[in-house]
Amino acid sequence: MGDATDEDDYFDTVSVNSTRSKRKLNNNDYIALSRNTLYYSVPDLGGNNMEMTELQDSGHKVSGKKNIRTYTQWRDRSWRYFSNSELVVDFVLAYDEQGKQEHVQRRKTFEASLQQTGLILEREVNQRIHFVKLHVPREVLCQYAEILKLRMPIKDNDEQLPKENIVTNTVQKCLEKCRVTLDRKKFPPQKYQLTAEFSKDKPYLFDVDSPDFFSDSVKITVASYILEREKFGPEDQDRGIKQLIADGTYKAAYPLHDGKIDDAGSKRHLLFHEWASISMCIKFQPIDDIKDYFGVKLALYFTWLGFYTHMLIPASIVGILCLLYGAFTLHSDTLSQDICSLDVTMCPLCDKYCDYWKLSGSCTYSKIQHLIDNPATIFFAVFMSIWAAIYLEFWKRYSAEIAHRWGLTGFDLQAEPPRPEFLLRLSNAKKKKLNVITQLQEPVVPFWRVKLPSIILSFTVAFFWALIALTIVIGIVIYRMSLLTSDALYKDRTSVRIYVVPVTAGLLNLVCIVILNMIYDRLAVWLTEMELQRTQTEFDDSLALKIYIFQFVNYYSSIFYIAFFKGKFVGYPSKYNKVFGYRQEECSPGGCLMELTIQLAIIMVGNQAMNSVMEMLIPFCFKMYNTFIVSKRIEEADTEEELIGCNQWTADYNLSDLQSRSLFAEYLEMVLQYGFVTLFVTAFPLAPLFALINNVLEMRLDAKKFMKYFRRPVPQRVKNIGVWYQVLTVIGRIAIVSNAMIIAFSSNFIPRLVYMLKVNSDHTDQGFLEFSLAYFNTSDFKPGTAPESPTYDTQVCRYAEFRNPPDDPHKYKRPLIYWHILAVRLAFIVVYQNLVSFIVTVVEWTIPDISRKLNDRIKREAYKVNEIIIKNESERTKKRSNTVRKRDSLLSEVGSVYHDAISEAGDVKNHRSTMYYDTGDS
């Protein structure tokens, strides 16, 4: 990286002239470094029609113009290439010229190391932000493809995928008629290619000379691997671009998009308009093209999201049918009819200020609740538990096929390097040890003195924040109870109790959830940094554990309260159980299921809508703000210092960096949604439908966001979705128990069943309302608790409980039927949980993780590759044997002795009479 001795002219951010290196690439000179240049600002360019004139450089004309005359032609030519060269830019490093002095030496050492590995470098130094463009030659690609054990397509591949059966073909034709399949002209089906681990020693296996053999993803992967491991200092841990970015030596390191969104010939344009567009939301995703552009990790997320979304379709249909069943049977529901028709006076909902109220005021509420709480609910709960098991098993099979198709069979992560943040925080550590895997000296974190206390502190703070989330829920419960106390301020008290209180409490809970998430998100990262986790995987696992535990408590605690605690320990009018002086909330005579539905709908749908809007609005506003600031400063400043892009690396520099936590947030959002769909689906049959609608839009909005507002990520190889699969499995198991308890304790299914089987001789539910309401003598109110100004003059009021009447010797005590109902509830939970768990286990056992056809194909392909290797190696061995025998024969004719390459050099020199003939000489 020599110093500049003369000046080259620049047009905007692209160099027109560059120095030539003495090193060769395929017998051609390549550019090693552009020299310092004279900068022209945007007004000097004079628009797109400005003609380029021949410039002089130390008395010599600038070469390599290739008849480019206009600015537009020059800009298109220079968009992704080295200056005056056909070399494509595979990776870019960016740094600030006003950095610290020690950064200069680090960059010099680091870039020299990159050149020693074989990378080709060119520097752009025309603006304050300088760029180092990297190109990975074919020789380097071959070397590191072997090191990384990349599976590459082999030559002469006649392997064909097995033909689809008649059912699959029929479904495919139906989908094509529905126009949900991909346009084959824009996304032609990719031919299946048999792959094998790359090896330079097997040229007969790989067509290395093919121009398309190494894809852009492979080039980016190799460049990133080199950047993460090259040294920039004397210590063993002084290596890797991430550490250089963390300490400010470089500002960014990123691969390039393959063009502008508006460039019709680029893959980015194709994916943006044919995949990321909302108008394409009903079409399949081009997952193979996504994999080629973004890499396996990001493509696997969209593949999983698409598979999950398609599996929501049958769940949504069954949920709608259950809702329709409730609507069609509403006329025959005796409970809602009795609530609407009978003149029943209910006891006050609060002491002193609340009045008696008529049960008929909740008529509409009871009809709506029947849509949810009906016999179809049991079927739907069982169906969703089995659906969750089938979904996870089918995903394992599908992901195995995807992993095989993408050449990931047998892939395993190699030893991870330490995180840059880990090395920076321990840069002054005196104690180091040798990593037996990487053979590098790494700093040691004392376990008992540093690591264990930091982990304990981290999870203690996380646990404290989970308690804060529970405290928020308790506060909202108290708010609901206090609002009922002030119910006397409203004339229409019934509607306030039934609708206003649940809706306002749900909205307040949603706001608190969002605020706590924003605060805890940053806190969790800081706490995990304290733990000094060595690798990125350890860091991500610890962070995921803390965030998901908190999110679980934050999102689901209020719902668990309504489902399992509300109205269960209220007491009776003369002896209410109070909290902070307030009476506990009661469920309506129809149960708490309707209120649980309202809470679920507000939190789930509201959170999904808010996330969808914010995911697009924040990047758009950020981009608009940057555009406004840049344009304003250009107009006001005498000298232009802003980064103006007319090539791909400067255009991409202005985009946001796609961090590893960006994908973590996407997975977390979907896993939380999966919890709503499975854990509480009994109370919200439309949850799968709302999740389906959200995900159809979420896929396209995420795609648009990644294509338009983020830099191209470095492709990463993964076999599956990682720890999230285990999380989904645990949620599915918890959902079985959760739905069983909701049916048993939050709905009227069990009490109505006991009434029909044991109490009513006709075995119908006629009279169930009368059975479920207890009597209370108003003369038994404690002093100061009876209504001050009662509207109704009544001697007896009713309340939703199973207690003895006032004329019973054991008045207001629990009757025997209450304990029968409780026993049936507990028995139902046990039977339901074991029965559904057994069915789920059978489903998991009958559906193998890898299909028999795929397993046979993997074995067949491995056998075929081995046969090709054995055949070619045998031929090579035979040729070498023939060559040796031919040489021995020629040498024996002149009485000479032939020494092979493994012979000692001294012995060969002493045999002066030896004659050596090449095969060409013979």
Side-chain angles (χ1 to χ4, degrees), residues 4-32:
T5 58
D6 54 357
E7 294 182 345
D8 295 339
D9 288 82
Y10 271 72
F11 288 89
D12 199 22
T13 57
V14 181
S15 172
V16 178
N17 191 25
S18 305
T19 58
R20 297 279 182 174
S21 172
K22 295 181 180 179
R23 296 172 63 186
K24 300 282 184 180
L25 176 65
N26 297 332
N27 297 322
N28 295 320
D29 292 340
Y30 69 83
I31 301 165

Side-chain angles (χ1 to χ4, degrees), residues 14 76-89 122 124 133 256 647-649:
V14 181
D76 294 340
R77 166 64 185 81
S78 305
W79 192 252
R80 297 186 69 245
Y81 291 86
F82 275 45
S83 302
N84 301 319
S85 172
E86 296 297 332
L87 297 180
V88 178
V89 178
E122 182 185 55
E124 292 287 356
K133 296 170 287 183
L256 299 181
N647 49 47
Q648 192 67 59
W649 48 91

Side-chain angles (χ1 to χ4, degrees), residues 62 135 219 230 279 324 327 465 505 537 608 628 639 701 739 756 790 865 876:
V62 177
H135 175 79
K219 296 176 184 178
E230 288 306 309
S279 61
L324 292 176
W465 271 85
T537 300
Q608 288 182 166
F628 171 75
T639 59
L701 292 177
N739 285 298
M756 293 170 60
V865 172
R876 292 174 64 179

Side-chain angles (χ1 to χ4, degrees), residues 28-277:
N28 295 320
D29 292 340
Y30 69 83
I31 301 165
L33 179 63
S34 297
R35 288 174 284 178
N36 292 334
T37 64
L38 183 64
Y39 175 77
Y40 286 88
S41 63
V42 171
D44 297 330
L45 291 176
N48 290 347
N49 295 324
M50 182 198 70
E51 291 190 359
M52 295 176 62
T53 59
E54 290 186 344
L55 303 179
Q56 299 292 327
D57 179 38
S58 302
H60 300 281
K61 291 183 179 181
V62 177
S63 60
K65 296 239 175 105
K66 299 185 181 180
N67 298 321
I68 298 177
R69 301 297 300 171
T70 66
Y71 169 76
T72 303
Q73 291 174 319
W74 164 82
R75 181 196 62 187
D76 294 340
R77 166 64 185 81
S78 305
W79 192 252
R80 297 186 69 245
Y81 291 86
F82 275 45
S83 302
N84 301 319
S85 172
E86 296 297 332
L87 297 180
V88 178
V89 178
D90 296 322
F91 221 94
V92 171
L93 309 178
Y95 63 92
D96 194 336
E97 67 174 350
Q98 297 183 1
K100 299 179 182 179
Q101 186 61 35
E102 59 267 22
H103 293 167
V104 177
Q105 182 59 39
R106 288 183 181 179
R107 285 195 294 267
K108 185 176 180 181
T109 304
F110 185 67
E111 291 167 13
S113 299
L114 296 180
Q115 284 186 311
Q116 290 177 0
T117 62
L119 297 185
I120 304 173
L121 280 64
E122 182 185 55
R123 193 195 303 274
E124 292 287 356
V125 293
N126 56 299
Q127 299 189 77
R128 175 173 174 177
I129 301 299
H130 295 178
F131 298 96
V132 179
K133 296 170 287 183
L134 308 178
H135 175 79
V136 187
R138 187 169 298 270
E139 291 81 358
V140 178
L141 289 172
C142 293
Q143 177 185 357
Y144 282 90
E146 185 174 18
I147 293 175
L148 292 172
K149 300 183 183 301
L150 299 180
R151 296 186 66 89
M152 305 298 293
I154 66 173
K155 291 191 296 186
D156 301 328
N157 176 29
D158 58 352
E159 190 75 14
Q160 298 293 330
L161 287 175
K163 296 182 178 180
E164 303 291 348
N165 55 41
I166 187 172
V167 177
T168 306
N169 290 332
T170 304
V171 172
Q172 182 67 22
K173 291 179 180 178
C174 293
L175 293 175
E176 290 177 356
K177 290 183 178 180
C178 295
R179 296 185 178 181
V180 298
T181 55
L182 295 173
D183 188 345
R184 293 182 178 271
K185 294 181 180 179
K186 297 177 180 178
F187 297 100
Q190 296 185 8
K191 179 184 176 182
Y192 177 73
Q193 292 181 304
L194 189 60
T195 61
E197 284 191 7
F198 183 80
S199 174
K200 294 186 297 182
D201 297 332
K202 299 180 178 63
Y204 52 83
L205 203 58
F206 305 98
D207 188 9
V208 180
D209 295 329
S210 173
D212 299 326
F213 181 74
F214 291 109
S215 63
D216 289 343
S217 295
V218 173
K219 296 176 184 178
I220 295 171
T221 300
V222 169
S224 176
Y225 182 84
I226 295 173
L227 287 170
E228 289 177 358
R229 284 155 179 79
E230 288 306 309
K231 297 188 65 174
F232 58 83
E235 301 294 334
D236 283 342
Q237 67 269 19
D238 293 342
R239 62 177 67 233
I241 186 62
K242 291 182 179 179
Q243 190 171 346
L244 290 173
I245 294 176
D247 65 14
T249 302
Y250 288 98
K251 295 182 70 68
Y254 51 92
L256 299 181
H257 285 290
D258 73 337
K260 295 183 294 185
I261 291 177
D262 299 330
D263 290 342
S266 66
K267 179 63 72 70
R268 188 184 185 191
H269 173 273
L270 178 64
L271 290 175
F272 183 79
H273 291 282
E274 299 296 329
W275 168 53
S277 175

Side-chain angles (χ1 to χ4, degrees), residues 311-556:
M311 288 293 293
L312 284 172
I313 295 176
S316 303
I317 294 174
V318 176
I320 294 173
L321 292 177
C322 290
L323 208 65
L324 292 176
Y325 173 84
F328 292 147
T329 58
L330 182 60
H331 66 281
S332 61
D333 180 44
T334 57
L335 179 61
S336 60
Q337 290 178 356
D338 291 345
I339 290 175
C340 294
S341 60
L342 297 180
D343 184 19
V344 179
T345 303
M346 302 296 293
C347 296
L349 294 173
C350 65
D351 297 337
K352 191 176 181 179
Y353 299 108
C354 294
D355 196 2
Y356 302 105
W357 58 284
K358 293 294 184 179
L359 181 59
S360 58
S362 60
C363 175
T364 305
Y365 182 89
S366 63
K367 292 181 178 179
I368 297 175
Q369 176 157 305
H370 177 71
L371 301 177
I372 302 168
D373 189 4
N374 56 69
T377 302
I378 309 298
F379 167 77
F380 190 51
V382 176
F383 171 82
M384 287 304 297
S385 297
I386 299 174
W387 171 88
I390 293 176
Y391 155 65
L392 291 176
E393 290 303 311
F394 278 5
W395 165 249
K396 279 200 295 188
R397 286 170 62 94
Y398 184 65
S399 63
E401 293 180 2
I402 291 295
H404 176 257
R405 190 165 82 194
W406 290 349
L408 297 170
T409 302
F411 166 74
D412 193 11
L413 291 175
Q414 297 176 334
E416 284 190 75
R419 297 175 62 242
E421 297 82 358
F422 172 82
L423 296 177
L424 279 176
R425 293 192 62 182
L426 298 175
S427 58
N428 297 324
K430 297 180 180 178
K431 188 177 180 181
K432 298 181 181 180
K433 69 175 182 180
L434 180 68
N435 187 315
V436 295
I437 299 175
T438 62
Q439 293 298 308
L440 298 175
Q441 292 289 335
E442 295 179 1
V444 178
V445 181
F447 179 79
W448 295 104
R449 184 166 52 88
V450 177
K451 195 171 183 65
L452 182 62
S454 63
I455 293 176
I456 293 175
L457 177 62
S458 175
F459 277 91
T460 300
V461 175
F463 179 72
F464 174 74
W465 271 85
L467 292 180
I468 291 178
L470 287 176
T471 305
I472 295 290
V473 173
I474 295 174
I476 293 174
V477 171
I478 295 174
Y479 157 78
R480 295 157 65 105
M481 294 188 296
S482 63
L483 198 61
L484 291 176
T485 303
S486 62
D487 191 61
L489 300 176
Y490 302 92
K491 293 183 179 180
D492 188 8
R493 291 178 289 274
T494 303
S495 64
V496 173
R497 176 181 64 84
I498 294 178
Y499 302 110
V500 175
V501 173
V503 171
T504 56
L507 292 174
L508 183 61
N509 190 31
L510 178 60
V511 172
C512 293
I513 285 173
V514 173
I515 294 174
L516 285 177
N517 283 344
M518 293 174 61
I519 299 174
Y520 183 79
D521 218 28
R522 294 175 174 80
L523 178 64
V525 175
W526 180 74
L527 292 174
T528 312
E529 289 285 359
M530 285 177 49
E531 299 174 8
L532 295 174
Q533 300 290 351
R534 176 184 170 272
T535 65
Q536 190 65 41
T537 300
E538 293 172 349
F539 182 88
D540 291 341
D541 289 346
S542 180
L543 181 63
L545 180 61
K546 282 191 283 291
I547 288 184
Y548 185 75
I549 290 175
F550 174 78
Q551 298 277 29
F552 189 93
V553 175
N554 198 19
Y555 276 97
Y556 302 146

Side-chain angles (χ1 to χ4, degrees), residues 753-870:
L753 183 65
V754 173
Y755 174 78
M756 293 170 60
L757 296 178
K758 187 175 180 62
V759 179
N760 192 347
S761 59
D762 296 334
H763 300 298
T764 65
D765 62 349
Q766 192 70 37
F768 173 71
L769 177 65
E770 179 71 20
F771 168 74
S772 62
L773 296 178
Y775 290 89
F776 180 76
N777 193 326
T778 57
S779 61
D780 291 335
F781 273 118
K782 291 183 178 180
T785 60
E788 284 186 339
S789 304
T791 304
Y792 307 100
D793 185 13
T794 180
Q795 296 296 320
V796 177
C797 64
R798 310 293 295 274
Y799 61 101
E801 268 283 11
F802 293 99
R803 291 186 180 273
N804 293 323
D807 57 354
D808 190 273
H810 303 285
K811 66 177 182 179
Y812 307 136
K813 299 297 182 181
R814 298 287 189 186
L816 185 62
I817 194 65
Y818 168 81
W819 301 107
H820 287 171
I821 292 174
L822 180 61
V824 174
R825 280 172 165 164
L826 296 176
F828 172 80
I829 293 175
V830 174
V831 173
Y832 179 93
Q833 193 271 335
N834 284 279
L835 178 62
V836 176
S837 296
F838 173 76
I839 297 174
V840 169
T841 303
V842 171
V843 169
E844 294 175 349
W845 179 73
T846 55
I847 302 177
D849 295 348
I850 300 178
S851 65
R852 180 181 57 82
K853 290 184 179 179
L854 177 59
N855 196 30
D856 293 342
R857 191 160 74 242
I858 291 174
K859 294 178 181 178
R860 162 65 183 164
E861 292 174 358
Y863 171 78
K864 183 175 180 179
V865 172
N866 286 334
E867 286 296 308
I868 295 174
I869 294 174
I870 292 172

